[in-house]
Amino acid sequence: MRHLLSALLLALPLAAWAQITTLTEADAVHRGLARPDLDDLETGSVESARADVLAAGMLPNPTLGYSRDQYRGNLESTEETWQLSQTFDVSGRRGLRREAAEVRVEASYAGNNLRRSELAAEIRRRFHETLFKQEAVRVTETWTQRFTRIERIVEKLARAGEASGYDRRRLTRERQTAEARLSNEKADLDRASERLAALVGNSGKTAESVTGVLPPNSPPPLEDALPRLDRRPDLQVLSRRAEAADLEGRAAARGWVPDVTLGIGPKRIDNGITQENATVFAVTIPLPVFDRQQAGEKRAAAEALNARGELSFARARAEGDLRGLHRQVERLVAASADYRTRAVGESAELLRIAEAAYQGGESTLLELLDAYRGALEAEMTALDLEWKARQARIDYDLLTGSVTE
């Protein structure tokens, strides 16, 4: 029984360790984009556009007519006619409208690509936000753990009569501040983790720790990225909208060509003495005197003009954003690397000097605590710079159509 209990006690930490899984950026993006509800959303938008293609190319239904005329005179005469009629498009409008609908299907695909790109960028933001908060917790925990070392120093000095009661009370308050800050950082981490879990389809399940590198690499040369702007999904959507409007305008411009309706059917004449059978042919052509689809032509031209205007404006704005983000990413990447090398890299030596000075009676506890807070702030400033650089890089990748580096 004791051996069984020992085995169970040893298994508990292992079970807890087995539940902790790590998530990489690539895994998060893959899982987020593989969600079934996203597939349903994309399929629904495409199928709706394809239904418009089917409707635009559909022939009008034929009509079946029946008439019966009865005449009264010397002899009672009756005429009965059955006629099957069908309208035909001789102008080609139906083909142009079907082609416009097919272009809108392409726009729907481009819209789905845009949705995927934006979702991938959002997942990357949440992933690196979680990584940032995770690192902030680690740094804050290191800060709180340093109080164990300070307490040993203060106790040693107290036994020698060189530490005052004020030092002990001041140390207690500093520890409480550290614990409160650690609790706040952990709360931020919990929120960031849940927001990421909701995007990757893991909401309500065991939390996953993320693994990766917070600071991004420098972006490629700007000249390599500018040509990729035209492949942006949002610009492709506007381009397809303008193309579809042009086709609609061409179809409306043929409004002066009327549709032709042909009819055929049997006719029977009964005058009470004899019966005669005949075949009736009918041709119906509406006269485009007033309505030649002028309004539809103007509307299509306006829609094409609007789409091209939006496309030009969006292209110019995207280029400006790209140039600005390229400079921002380069500057932040360089600044974060320089700060971590120079400011954070010197923290260990500064702490060693501050501890030696306090133990030697050359400085006060407040000066030692100030050195510890300075080391913490240096780490947090470095993380903040790296997080801002990462955010700018994600926005840059979204503009250039990249999911990951």
Side-chain angles (χ1 to χ4, degrees):
M1 187 65 180
R2 287 184 299 174
H3 295 296
L4 177 61
L5 181 59
S6 301
L8 290 175
L9 291 175
L10 289 173
L12 287 177
L14 294 175
W17 175 84
Q19 290 178 356
I20 300 176
T21 58
T22 58
L23 183 68
T24 65
E25 178 186 358
D27 291 338
V29 173
H30 175 74
R31 285 165 56 176
L33 296 182
R35 295 180 56 170
D37 48 0
L38 179 60
D39 291 336
D40 294 342
L41 182 61
E42 293 178 342
T43 301
S45 63
V46 171
E47 291 302 319
S48 177
R50 285 177 176 170
D52 293 337
V53 174
L54 183 62
M58 192 72 67
L59 289 171
N61 291 325
T63 59
L64 179 63
Y66 170 76
S67 64
R68 187 175 187 274
D69 297 327
Q70 190 171 10
Y71 306 95
R72 295 186 181 275
N74 296 331
L75 295 174
E76 186 174 329
S77 177
T78 303
E79 294 183 5
E80 290 182 323
T81 303
W82 291 87
Q83 182 171 296
L84 182 65
S85 302
Q86 176 65 54
T87 301
F88 296 93
D89 173 26
V90 297
S91 65
R93 286 191 297 269
R94 183 178 297 109
L96 288 172
R97 286 170 178 155
R98 177 184 174 86
E99 189 176 350
E102 289 174 344
V103 171
R104 290 193 175 94
V105 173
E106 297 177 7
S108 179
Y109 277 113
N112 286 341
N113 291 335
L114 175 61
R115 184 183 296 110
R116 280 184 168 268
S117 298
E118 291 177 343
L119 177 59
E122 181 66 15
I123 292 172
R124 295 183 64 200
R125 289 190 191 96
R126 298 306 174 210
F127 175 89
H128 287 286
E129 180 187 17
T130 304
L131 182 61
F132 167 58
K133 297 300 181 182
Q134 195 170 278
E135 288 298 303
V137 168
R138 179 189 61 79
V139 170
T140 309
E141 284 179 339
T142 301
W143 180 46
T144 58
Q145 290 168 2
R146 287 196 177 111
F147 286 104
T148 303
R149 180 176 178 83
I150 301 176
E151 288 173 347
R152 288 200 298 265
I153 296 175
V154 171
E155 288 176 359
K156 181 179 179 181
L157 294 176
R159 287 194 297 269
E162 300 177 3
S164 64
Y166 173 80
D167 284 351
R168 293 182 176 180
R169 289 193 293 270
R170 186 66 180 83
L171 181 60
T172 300
R173 191 175 70 176
E174 194 71 18
R175 184 195 301 110
Q176 292 170 348
T177 301
E179 292 172 352
R181 182 162 184 172
L182 178 60
S183 298
N184 180 67
E185 295 294 346
K186 287 183 176 180
D188 289 343
L189 174 60
D190 290 340
R191 181 183 180 186
S193 298
E194 288 300 329
R195 295 172 74 178
L196 175 63
L199 289 178
V200 300
N202 199 37
S203 182
K205 300 179 182 178
T206 303
E208 294 177 300
S209 63
V210 298
T211 178
V213 179
L214 184 60
N217 296 326
S218 297
L222 185 62
E223 292 73 18
D224 297 340
L226 286 173
R228 301 176 63 181
L229 284 179
D230 293 328
R231 298 197 297 269
R232 282 168 48 89
D234 56 336
L235 300 184
Q236 290 181 2
V237 169
L238 292 173
S239 178
R240 296 297 181 270
R241 276 179 50 193
E243 185 179 348
D246 285 337
L247 291 169
E248 291 283 1
R250 289 173 55 190
R254 300 183 183 183
W256 61 273
V257 182
D259 293 337
V260 178
T261 302
L262 301 179
I264 186 173
K267 181 176 183 180
R268 187 173 66 87
I269 303 173
D270 185 356
N271 58 14
I273 299 176
T274 61
Q275 292 184 352
E276 297 180 6
N277 294 315
T279 301
V280 176
F281 292 95
V283 178
T284 303
I285 301 177
L287 301 178
V289 177
F290 304 109
D291 183 7
R292 295 187 297 276
Q293 298 190 17
Q294 302 95 318
E297 184 178 2
K298 287 183 177 295
R299 184 181 299 107
E303 290 178 356
L305 185 64
N306 180 63
R308 287 194 170 86
E310 288 187 21
L311 176 60
S312 178
F313 183 76
R315 178 65 170 75
R317 184 173 58 186
E319 182 174 344
D321 289 343
L322 184 62
R323 292 182 183 276
L325 281 170
H326 190 275
R327 294 179 182 179
Q328 183 184 24
V329 173
E330 283 188 328
R331 188 176 295 275
L332 287 174
V333 167
S336 60
D338 180 70
Y339 187 85
R340 181 165 288 280
T341 300
R342 299 176 62 182
V344 179
E346 295 177 355
S347 295
E349 179 64 17
L350 291 175
L351 290 177
R352 187 191 65 78
I353 295 174
E355 290 178 356
Y358 178 70
Q359 292 183 33
E362 299 176 4
S363 65
T364 65
L365 178 63
L366 292 179
E367 291 174 319
L368 177 60
L369 294 177
D370 183 68
Y372 280 159
R373 283 194 300 269
L376 171 66
E377 294 304 324
E379 284 276 5
M380 297 300 293
T381 300
L383 287 175
D384 188 62
L385 282 171
E386 292 167 352
W387 168 227
K388 289 179 178 178
R390 175 60 69 176
Q391 288 178 294
R393 181 57 196 266
I394 292 173
D395 292 338
Y396 177 88
D397 291 340
L398 179 60
L399 271 177
T400 57
S402 302
V403 175
T404 60
E405 296 179 19

